[in-house]
Amino acid sequence: KGGVFTYDPGFTSTAACDSTITFIDGDKGELLHRGYPIDQLAEKSHFLEVCFLLLYGELPSAAELEDFEARVTRHTMVHEQMHNFFRGFRRDAHPMATLVGVVGAMSAFYHDSTDINDDWQREVAAIRLIAKLPTIASMAFKYSIGQPFVYPRNDLDYAANFLHMCFSVPAEKYEVDPILARAMDRIFTLHADHEQNASTSTVRLASSSGANPFACIAAGIACLWGPAHGGANQACLEMLEEIGTVDRIPEYIARAKDKDDPFRLMGFGHRVYKNFDPRAKVMKQSADEVLDLLGIEDNPKLQVAKELEKQALNDPYFAEKKLFPNVDFYSGIILEAMGFPTSMFTPIFALARTVGWISQWKEQISDPKLKIGRPRQLYKGETLRDYVDIENR
Ligand code: SDX
Protein backbone atom coordinates (compact mmCIF):
# COMPACT_ATOMS: atom_id res chain seq x y z
CA LYS A 1 0.00 0.00 0.00
CA GLY A 2 1.02 3.63 -0.47
CA GLY A 3 3.66 2.97 -3.08
CA VAL A 4 5.42 0.07 -1.35
CA PHE A 5 5.87 -2.96 -3.61
CA THR A 6 4.76 -5.90 -1.48
CA TYR A 7 4.95 -9.62 -2.13
CA ASP A 8 2.68 -12.22 -0.58
CA PRO A 9 4.27 -15.56 0.48
CA GLY A 10 3.49 -16.97 -2.94
CA PHE A 11 5.69 -14.23 -4.42
CA THR A 12 2.92 -13.18 -6.78
CA SER A 13 3.09 -9.43 -6.65
CA THR A 14 0.11 -7.69 -5.06
CA ALA A 15 -0.92 -4.14 -5.96
CA ALA A 16 2.04 -1.74 -5.94
CA CYS A 17 -0.03 1.10 -4.50
CA ASP A 18 -3.50 2.55 -3.99
CA SER A 19 -4.51 5.13 -6.58
CA THR A 20 -7.61 7.05 -7.65
CA ILE A 21 -6.16 8.56 -10.84
CA THR A 22 -6.29 6.06 -13.72
CA PHE A 23 -8.08 2.75 -14.20
CA ILE A 24 -7.24 0.19 -16.89
CA ASP A 25 -9.27 -2.93 -17.69
CA GLY A 26 -6.78 -4.86 -19.84
CA ASP A 27 -9.28 -7.50 -20.92
CA LYS A 28 -11.91 -5.00 -22.02
CA GLY A 29 -9.41 -2.52 -23.43
CA GLU A 30 -10.77 0.22 -21.18
CA LEU A 31 -8.83 3.29 -19.91
CA LEU A 32 -10.44 5.79 -17.52
CA HIS A 33 -8.93 8.99 -16.10
CA ARG A 34 -10.75 9.82 -12.84
CA GLY A 35 -13.64 7.76 -14.27
CA TYR A 36 -13.81 9.44 -17.70
CA PRO A 37 -13.10 7.16 -20.75
CA ILE A 38 -10.07 8.13 -22.81
CA ASP A 39 -11.96 8.21 -26.13
CA GLN A 40 -14.41 10.80 -24.75
CA LEU A 41 -11.58 12.92 -23.33
CA ALA A 42 -9.64 12.70 -26.62
CA GLU A 43 -12.70 13.80 -28.57
CA LYS A 44 -14.34 16.36 -26.27
CA SER A 45 -11.62 17.67 -23.94
CA HIS A 46 -8.15 19.12 -24.46
CA PHE A 47 -4.79 18.47 -22.85
CA LEU A 48 -4.66 21.20 -20.20
CA GLU A 49 -8.20 20.34 -19.11
CA VAL A 50 -7.10 16.68 -18.80
CA CYS A 51 -4.08 17.92 -16.78
CA PHE A 52 -6.46 19.66 -14.37
CA LEU A 53 -8.58 16.48 -14.12
CA LEU A 54 -5.54 14.27 -13.40
CA LEU A 55 -4.06 16.70 -10.87
CA TYR A 56 -7.23 17.67 -8.93
CA GLY A 57 -9.67 14.81 -9.59
CA GLU A 58 -12.53 16.73 -11.22
CA LEU A 59 -13.21 18.50 -14.55
CA PRO A 60 -12.70 22.26 -14.02
CA SER A 61 -15.32 24.99 -14.20
CA ALA A 62 -14.69 27.62 -16.89
CA ALA A 63 -13.15 29.96 -14.28
CA GLU A 64 -10.95 27.22 -12.83
CA LEU A 65 -9.74 26.22 -16.30
CA GLU A 66 -8.94 29.82 -17.25
CA ASP A 67 -6.95 30.28 -14.04
CA PHE A 68 -5.10 26.97 -14.48
CA GLU A 69 -4.20 27.71 -18.11
CA ALA A 70 -2.96 31.18 -17.12
CA ARG A 71 -0.75 29.71 -14.37
CA VAL A 72 0.76 27.15 -16.74
CA THR A 73 1.30 29.77 -19.46
CA ARG A 74 3.14 32.06 -17.04
CA HIS A 75 5.64 29.31 -16.24
CA THR A 76 6.53 28.20 -19.80
CA MET A 77 9.83 30.12 -19.94
CA VAL A 78 12.92 28.51 -18.38
CA HIS A 79 15.58 30.39 -16.39
CA GLU A 80 17.92 31.99 -18.98
CA GLN A 81 20.90 30.34 -17.30
CA MET A 82 19.44 26.91 -18.19
CA HIS A 83 20.37 27.57 -21.80
CA ASN A 84 23.97 26.92 -20.74
CA PHE A 85 23.20 23.30 -19.88
CA PHE A 86 22.57 22.51 -23.53
CA ARG A 87 26.04 23.72 -24.53
CA GLY A 88 27.49 20.83 -22.52
CA PHE A 89 25.84 18.23 -24.74
CA ARG A 90 27.11 16.98 -28.10
CA ARG A 91 24.93 18.30 -30.93
CA ASP A 92 24.15 14.73 -32.00
CA ALA A 93 23.05 13.63 -28.52
CA HIS A 94 19.62 11.95 -28.53
CA PRO A 95 17.06 14.54 -27.31
CA MET A 96 16.01 12.08 -24.58
CA ALA A 97 19.56 12.19 -23.18
CA THR A 98 19.35 15.98 -23.14
CA LEU A 99 15.89 15.88 -21.56
CA VAL A 100 17.07 13.60 -18.73
CA GLY A 101 20.01 15.92 -18.09
CA VAL A 102 18.22 19.26 -18.24
CA VAL A 103 15.13 18.17 -16.26
CA GLY A 104 17.44 16.68 -13.65
CA ALA A 105 19.28 20.02 -13.59
CA MET A 106 15.99 21.75 -12.70
CA SER A 107 16.45 20.17 -9.26
CA ALA A 108 19.58 22.33 -8.97
CA PHE A 109 17.57 25.46 -9.83
CA TYR A 110 14.52 24.78 -7.71
CA HIS A 111 16.01 22.61 -4.97
CA ASP A 112 15.85 25.17 -2.18
CA SER A 113 12.36 26.33 -3.10
CA THR A 114 10.83 22.84 -3.10
CA ASP A 115 9.70 21.69 0.31
CA ILE A 116 7.61 18.66 -0.69
CA ASN A 117 5.81 18.79 2.67
CA ASP A 118 4.38 22.18 1.75
CA ASP A 119 1.18 21.96 -0.37
CA TRP A 120 1.82 25.24 -2.16
CA GLN A 121 5.40 24.31 -3.11
CA ARG A 122 4.19 20.92 -4.37
CA GLU A 123 1.68 22.79 -6.50
CA VAL A 124 4.34 25.13 -7.92
CA ALA A 125 6.63 22.20 -8.76
CA ALA A 126 3.76 20.51 -10.60
CA ILE A 127 2.87 23.63 -12.61
CA ARG A 128 6.53 24.37 -13.41
CA LEU A 129 7.10 20.86 -14.78
CA ILE A 130 3.92 20.78 -16.91
CA ALA A 131 4.71 24.25 -18.22
CA LYS A 132 8.42 23.86 -18.89
CA LEU A 133 8.69 20.37 -20.38
CA PRO A 134 7.51 21.48 -23.86
CA THR A 135 10.00 24.36 -23.78
CA ILE A 136 12.88 22.07 -22.75
CA ALA A 137 11.87 19.38 -25.28
CA SER A 138 11.74 21.98 -28.08
CA MET A 139 15.16 23.31 -26.98
CA ALA A 140 16.58 19.78 -27.11
CA PHE A 141 15.21 19.48 -30.66
CA LYS A 142 16.51 22.89 -31.78
CA TYR A 143 19.92 22.18 -30.24
CA SER A 144 20.13 18.83 -32.09
CA ILE A 145 19.49 20.53 -35.45
CA GLY A 146 21.69 23.57 -34.80
CA GLN A 147 18.85 26.09 -34.83
CA PRO A 148 18.33 28.88 -32.27
CA PHE A 149 16.01 28.28 -29.32
CA VAL A 150 12.55 29.79 -29.75
CA TYR A 151 10.92 31.38 -26.70
CA PRO A 152 7.38 30.36 -25.72
CA ARG A 153 4.54 32.73 -26.62
CA ASN A 154 1.70 33.48 -24.21
CA ASP A 155 -0.79 34.08 -27.01
CA LEU A 156 -0.62 30.45 -28.18
CA ASP A 157 -2.28 27.46 -26.53
CA TYR A 158 -0.17 24.63 -25.11
CA ALA A 159 0.09 22.44 -28.22
CA ALA A 160 0.42 25.35 -30.67
CA ASN A 161 3.16 26.84 -28.48
CA PHE A 162 5.11 23.58 -28.65
CA LEU A 163 4.82 23.39 -32.44
CA HIS A 164 5.85 27.04 -32.70
CA MET A 165 8.92 26.50 -30.47
CA CYS A 166 9.90 23.47 -32.57
CA PHE A 167 9.29 24.67 -36.11
CA SER A 168 9.52 28.46 -36.21
CA VAL A 169 12.82 30.16 -37.11
CA PRO A 170 13.71 33.85 -36.68
CA ALA A 171 14.29 34.18 -40.41
CA GLU A 172 10.65 33.84 -41.43
CA LYS A 173 7.07 34.05 -40.16
CA TYR A 174 5.63 30.75 -38.95
CA GLU A 175 1.89 30.27 -38.53
CA VAL A 176 0.84 27.20 -36.51
CA ASP A 177 -1.65 25.10 -38.48
CA PRO A 178 -4.68 24.75 -36.15
CA ILE A 179 -5.32 21.25 -37.48
CA LEU A 180 -1.81 20.14 -36.51
CA ALA A 181 -2.19 21.86 -33.14
CA ARG A 182 -5.41 19.91 -32.53
CA ALA A 183 -3.71 16.64 -33.53
CA MET A 184 -0.72 17.48 -31.29
CA ASP A 185 -3.01 18.25 -28.37
CA ARG A 186 -4.84 14.94 -28.87
CA ILE A 187 -1.52 13.04 -28.89
CA PHE A 188 -0.61 14.72 -25.59
CA THR A 189 -3.98 13.68 -24.12
CA LEU A 190 -3.55 10.06 -25.23
CA HIS A 191 -0.18 9.86 -23.46
CA ALA A 192 -1.07 11.78 -20.26
CA ASP A 193 -1.20 8.93 -17.76
CA HIS A 194 -1.38 5.16 -17.73
CA GLU A 195 -1.57 3.74 -14.18
CA GLN A 196 1.58 2.03 -12.85
CA ASN A 197 3.64 1.59 -16.04
CA ALA A 198 7.41 1.24 -15.70
CA SER A 199 8.27 4.95 -15.80
CA THR A 200 5.44 5.95 -13.43
CA SER A 201 6.51 3.24 -11.00
CA THR A 202 10.05 4.63 -11.28
CA VAL A 203 8.77 8.09 -10.34
CA ARG A 204 6.76 6.66 -7.43
CA LEU A 205 9.73 4.67 -6.15
CA ALA A 206 12.02 7.72 -6.38
CA SER A 207 9.42 9.98 -4.73
CA SER A 208 8.91 7.50 -1.87
CA SER A 209 12.34 8.47 -0.53
CA GLY A 210 11.29 12.14 -0.46
CA ALA A 211 13.57 13.06 -3.37
CA ASN A 212 13.32 16.39 -5.20
CA PRO A 213 10.35 16.21 -7.66
CA PHE A 214 12.41 17.41 -10.63
CA ALA A 215 14.92 14.61 -9.98
CA CYS A 216 12.05 12.11 -9.70
CA ILE A 217 10.68 13.18 -13.10
CA ALA A 218 14.18 12.92 -14.63
CA ALA A 219 14.22 9.30 -13.38
CA GLY A 220 10.86 8.69 -15.10
CA ILE A 221 12.19 10.17 -18.37
CA ALA A 222 15.21 7.87 -18.22
CA CYS A 223 12.98 4.81 -17.80
CA LEU A 224 10.54 5.87 -20.52
CA TRP A 225 13.38 6.05 -23.07
CA GLY A 226 13.69 2.26 -23.35
CA PRO A 227 12.41 0.70 -26.65
CA ALA A 228 10.19 -1.70 -24.68
CA HIS A 229 8.40 1.34 -23.19
CA GLY A 230 8.18 4.90 -24.48
CA GLY A 231 11.01 4.38 -26.98
CA ALA A 232 8.70 2.01 -28.89
CA ASN A 233 7.17 4.85 -30.95
CA GLN A 234 10.58 5.60 -32.47
CA ALA A 235 11.41 1.87 -32.81
CA CYS A 236 8.02 1.21 -34.44
CA LEU A 237 8.49 3.81 -37.17
CA GLU A 238 12.02 2.54 -37.83
CA MET A 239 10.55 -0.98 -38.09
CA LEU A 240 7.90 0.19 -40.59
CA GLU A 241 10.67 1.92 -42.56
CA GLU A 242 12.74 -1.30 -42.56
CA ILE A 243 9.76 -3.44 -43.69
CA GLY A 244 9.21 -0.89 -46.47
CA THR A 245 6.54 -2.69 -48.51
CA VAL A 246 3.55 -4.89 -47.67
CA ASP A 247 5.01 -7.93 -49.46
CA ARG A 248 7.75 -8.09 -46.78
CA ILE A 249 5.30 -8.23 -43.85
CA PRO A 250 5.06 -12.08 -43.64
CA GLU A 251 8.86 -12.26 -43.15
CA TYR A 252 8.67 -9.92 -40.13
CA ILE A 253 5.63 -11.65 -38.66
CA ALA A 254 7.52 -14.95 -38.87
CA ARG A 255 10.51 -13.36 -37.11
CA ALA A 256 8.27 -11.96 -34.34
CA LYS A 257 6.93 -15.51 -33.74
CA ASP A 258 10.37 -17.12 -33.75
CA LYS A 259 11.43 -17.79 -30.14
CA ASP A 260 15.09 -17.72 -31.16
CA ASP A 261 14.77 -14.33 -32.83
CA PRO A 262 14.91 -11.36 -30.42
CA PHE A 263 12.83 -9.30 -32.91
CA ARG A 264 9.51 -8.04 -31.55
CA LEU A 265 6.78 -6.22 -33.48
CA MET A 266 7.28 -2.69 -32.14
CA GLY A 267 4.02 -1.01 -31.16
CA PHE A 268 2.43 -4.41 -30.51
CA GLY A 269 1.65 -6.13 -27.22
CA HIS A 270 1.23 -4.80 -23.73
CA ARG A 271 1.78 -5.88 -20.12
CA VAL A 272 -1.84 -5.10 -19.27
CA TYR A 273 -3.95 -4.82 -22.43
CA LYS A 274 -5.01 -8.24 -23.70
CA ASN A 275 -7.39 -6.49 -26.03
CA PHE A 276 -7.12 -3.36 -28.18
CA ASP A 277 -5.32 -0.45 -26.48
CA PRO A 278 -8.13 2.18 -26.65
CA ARG A 279 -5.52 4.84 -27.34
CA ALA A 280 -4.36 2.98 -30.46
CA LYS A 281 -7.89 3.17 -31.90
CA VAL A 282 -8.03 6.95 -31.44
CA MET A 283 -4.46 7.30 -32.76
CA LYS A 284 -5.35 5.30 -35.89
CA GLN A 285 -8.32 7.61 -36.62
CA SER A 286 -6.07 10.60 -36.03
CA ALA A 287 -3.46 9.24 -38.43
CA ASP A 288 -6.05 8.99 -41.21
CA GLU A 289 -7.35 12.51 -40.48
CA VAL A 290 -3.97 14.24 -40.21
CA LEU A 291 -2.47 12.59 -43.30
CA ASP A 292 -5.64 13.35 -45.23
CA LEU A 293 -5.59 17.01 -44.15
CA LEU A 294 -1.89 17.25 -44.96
CA GLY A 295 -2.65 15.80 -48.37
CA ILE A 296 -0.34 12.86 -47.71
CA GLU A 297 -2.63 10.31 -49.30
CA ASP A 298 -0.70 7.12 -49.89
CA ASN A 299 1.75 7.21 -46.99
CA PRO A 300 3.67 3.92 -47.44
CA LYS A 301 4.31 3.54 -43.71
CA LEU A 302 0.60 3.89 -42.92
CA GLN A 303 -0.22 1.31 -45.60
CA VAL A 304 2.36 -1.09 -44.16
CA ALA A 305 1.11 -0.42 -40.61
CA LYS A 306 -2.53 -1.15 -41.52
CA GLU A 307 -1.63 -4.32 -43.46
CA LEU A 308 0.72 -5.47 -40.69
CA GLU A 309 -2.04 -4.94 -38.12
CA LYS A 310 -4.50 -6.88 -40.29
CA GLN A 311 -2.15 -9.85 -40.87
CA ALA A 312 -0.99 -10.00 -37.24
CA LEU A 313 -4.54 -9.87 -35.89
CA ASN A 314 -5.46 -12.75 -38.24
CA ASP A 315 -2.47 -14.81 -37.10
CA PRO A 316 -3.19 -17.52 -34.46
CA TYR A 317 0.09 -16.72 -32.61
CA PHE A 318 -0.94 -13.13 -31.90
CA ALA A 319 -4.50 -14.15 -31.13
CA GLU A 320 -3.33 -16.80 -28.68
CA LYS A 321 -0.84 -14.43 -27.01
CA LYS A 322 -3.48 -11.66 -27.08
CA LEU A 323 -1.20 -9.19 -28.79
CA PHE A 324 -2.79 -6.03 -30.19
CA PRO A 325 -1.49 -2.66 -31.42
CA ASN A 326 -0.67 -0.33 -28.53
CA VAL A 327 -0.42 3.45 -28.24
CA ASP A 328 2.95 3.47 -30.03
CA PHE A 329 1.84 1.70 -33.21
CA TYR A 330 0.37 4.67 -35.10
CA SER A 331 1.69 7.69 -33.18
CA GLY A 332 5.01 7.82 -35.03
CA ILE A 333 3.28 8.04 -38.42
CA ILE A 334 1.42 11.16 -37.31
CA LEU A 335 4.48 12.75 -35.70
CA GLU A 336 6.61 12.14 -38.79
CA ALA A 337 3.89 13.64 -41.00
CA MET A 338 3.93 16.71 -38.71
CA GLY A 339 7.64 17.14 -39.46
CA PHE A 340 9.27 15.59 -36.38
CA PRO A 341 12.34 13.35 -36.72
CA THR A 342 12.00 9.92 -35.04
CA SER A 343 14.36 11.08 -32.27
CA MET A 344 11.67 13.52 -31.08
CA PHE A 345 8.91 10.90 -30.70
CA THR A 346 9.83 9.78 -27.18
CA PRO A 347 10.52 13.32 -25.89
CA ILE A 348 6.95 14.15 -26.99
CA PHE A 349 5.70 11.09 -25.09
CA ALA A 350 7.72 12.28 -22.04
CA LEU A 351 6.38 15.84 -22.07
CA ALA A 352 2.81 14.53 -22.28
CA ARG A 353 3.36 11.93 -19.54
CA THR A 354 4.82 14.52 -17.16
CA VAL A 355 1.33 15.37 -15.87
CA GLY A 356 0.71 11.67 -15.14
CA TRP A 357 4.03 11.30 -13.35
CA ILE A 358 3.41 14.47 -11.33
CA SER A 359 -0.18 13.51 -10.45
CA GLN A 360 1.04 10.13 -9.22
CA TRP A 361 3.97 11.80 -7.40
CA LYS A 362 1.52 14.11 -5.57
CA GLU A 363 -0.71 11.15 -4.66
CA GLN A 364 2.31 9.18 -3.45
CA ILE A 365 3.83 11.86 -1.18
CA SER A 366 0.51 13.05 0.20
CA ASP A 367 -0.10 9.57 1.66
CA PRO A 368 0.62 10.02 5.41
CA LYS A 369 1.35 6.28 5.67
CA LEU A 370 4.06 6.71 3.04
CA LYS A 371 6.84 4.18 3.43
CA ILE A 372 9.92 4.09 1.25
CA GLY A 373 9.45 1.75 -1.70
CA ARG A 374 11.43 -1.38 -0.93
CA PRO A 375 10.68 -4.18 -3.42
CA ARG A 376 11.71 -7.64 -2.21
CA GLN A 377 13.13 -10.44 -4.41
CA LEU A 378 12.92 -14.18 -5.00
CA TYR A 379 16.49 -15.19 -3.98
CA LYS A 380 17.78 -18.05 -6.15
CA GLY A 381 21.50 -17.77 -5.40
CA GLU A 382 23.98 -19.78 -3.26
CA THR A 383 23.03 -20.79 0.26
CA LEU A 384 25.28 -19.87 3.25
CA ARG A 385 28.96 -20.88 2.76
CA ASP A 386 32.38 -19.99 4.31
CA TYR A 387 35.10 -17.90 2.67
CA VAL A 388 37.85 -19.88 0.85
CA ASP A 389 41.44 -18.48 0.86
CA ILE A 390 42.83 -17.92 -2.61
CA GLU A 391 45.51 -20.62 -2.26
CA ASN A 392 42.71 -23.18 -1.71
CA ARG A 393 40.51 -22.21 -4.67
C1 SDX B 1 4.18 1.35 -23.56
O1 SDX B 1 2.82 -0.31 -19.19
C2 SDX B 1 2.32 0.63 -19.86
O2 SDX B 1 1.22 1.09 -19.58
C3 SDX B 1 3.18 1.20 -20.94
C4 SDX B 1 2.52 2.18 -21.89
C5 SDX B 1 2.22 3.47 -21.19
O3 SDX B 1 1.34 4.21 -21.65
O4 SDX B 1 2.96 3.81 -20.23
O5 SDX B 1 1.31 1.65 -22.40
C6 SDX B 1 3.45 2.53 -23.05
O6 SDX B 1 5.26 1.09 -23.12
C7 SDX B 1 3.49 0.45 -24.56
C8 SDX B 1 4.37 -0.77 -24.96
C9 SDX B 1 5.38 -0.27 -25.99
N1 SDX B 1 6.34 -1.33 -26.29
C10 SDX B 1 6.34 -1.93 -27.47
O7 SDX B 1 5.48 -1.76 -28.34
C11 SDX B 1 7.51 -2.86 -27.70
C12 SDX B 1 7.02 -4.17 -28.30
N2 SDX B 1 6.22 -4.85 -27.30
C13 SDX B 1 6.89 -5.82 -26.46
O8 SDX B 1 8.21 -5.59 -26.17
C14 SDX B 1 5.99 -6.33 -25.38
O9 SDX B 1 4.73 -6.47 -25.86
C15 SDX B 1 5.92 -5.61 -24.04
C16 SDX B 1 7.26 -5.34 -23.47
C17 SDX B 1 5.17 -4.34 -24.18
C18 SDX B 1 5.20 -6.56 -23.13
O10 SDX B 1 5.94 -7.78 -23.22
P1 SDX B 1 5.61 -8.96 -22.26
O11 SDX B 1 5.75 -8.49 -20.87
O12 SDX B 1 6.39 -10.18 -22.67
O13 SDX B 1 4.06 -9.17 -22.61
P2 SDX B 1 3.28 -10.48 -22.50
O14 SDX B 1 3.67 -11.22 -21.27
O15 SDX B 1 1.86 -10.12 -22.70
O16 SDX B 1 3.76 -11.35 -23.78
C19 SDX B 1 3.04 -12.57 -24.03
C20 SDX B 1 3.87 -13.32 -25.06
C21 SDX B 1 5.33 -13.50 -24.65
O17 SDX B 1 5.73 -14.73 -25.22
P3 SDX B 1 5.84 -16.02 -24.23
O18 SDX B 1 6.80 -15.65 -23.12
O19 SDX B 1 4.44 -16.29 -23.74
O20 SDX B 1 6.39 -17.13 -25.15
O21 SDX B 1 3.89 -12.60 -26.30
C22 SDX B 1 5.23 -12.32 -26.66
C23 SDX B 1 6.05 -12.41 -25.39
O22 SDX B 1 7.37 -12.79 -25.70
N3 SDX B 1 5.23 -10.95 -27.17
C24 SDX B 1 5.52 -10.60 -28.44
C25 SDX B 1 5.36 -9.20 -28.49
N4 SDX B 1 4.98 -8.74 -27.29
C26 SDX B 1 4.91 -9.83 -26.49
N5 SDX B 1 5.89 -11.34 -29.50
C27 SDX B 1 6.12 -10.64 -30.65
N6 SDX B 1 5.99 -9.29 -30.79
C28 SDX B 1 5.61 -8.54 -29.73
N7 SDX B 1 5.48 -7.22 -29.86
Side-chain angles (χ1 to χ4, degrees), residues 275-302:
N275 196 325
F276 253 94
D277 179 335
R279 301 168 297 176
K281 284 183 187 169
V282 180
M283 206 66 90
K284 184 176 176 181
Q285 281 161 4
S286 240
D288 283 328
E289 276 167 34
V290 170
L291 295 180
D292 202 31
L293 289 163
L294 288 174
I296 308 174
E297 304 303 337
D298 52 351
N299 177 300
K301 293 187 194 89
L302 184 58

Side-chain angles (χ1 to χ4, degrees), residues 24 31 190-200 224 226-233 235-236 253 255-259 262-274 277 279 317-318 320-329 349 353 357:
I24 300 174
L31 167 58
L190 292 172
H191 288 84
D193 189 47
H194 209 239
E195 203 222 60
Q196 305 312 314
N197 56 84
S199 52
T200 300
L224 185 77
H229 190 10
N233 51 19
C236 180
I253 287 189
R255 284 190 56 198
K257 291 156 62 174
D258 178 355
K259 279 284 141 234
F263 172 75
R264 286 272 180 283
L265 283 187
M266 291 290 114
F268 248 81
H270 200 275
R271 286 305 277 133
V272 178
Y273 288 123
K274 301 310 166 195
D277 179 335
R279 301 168 297 176
Y317 172 89
F318 291 88
E320 180 217 321
K321 305 271 184 195
K322 296 185 179 174
L323 301 174
F324 293 85
N326 59 47
V327 68
D328 294 307
F329 191 63
F349 191 153
R353 184 55 56 88
W357 288 329

Side-chain angles (χ1 to χ4, degrees), residues 6-12 14 378:
T6 55
Y7 282 92
D8 61 27
F11 289 111
T12 47
T14 54
L378 189 58

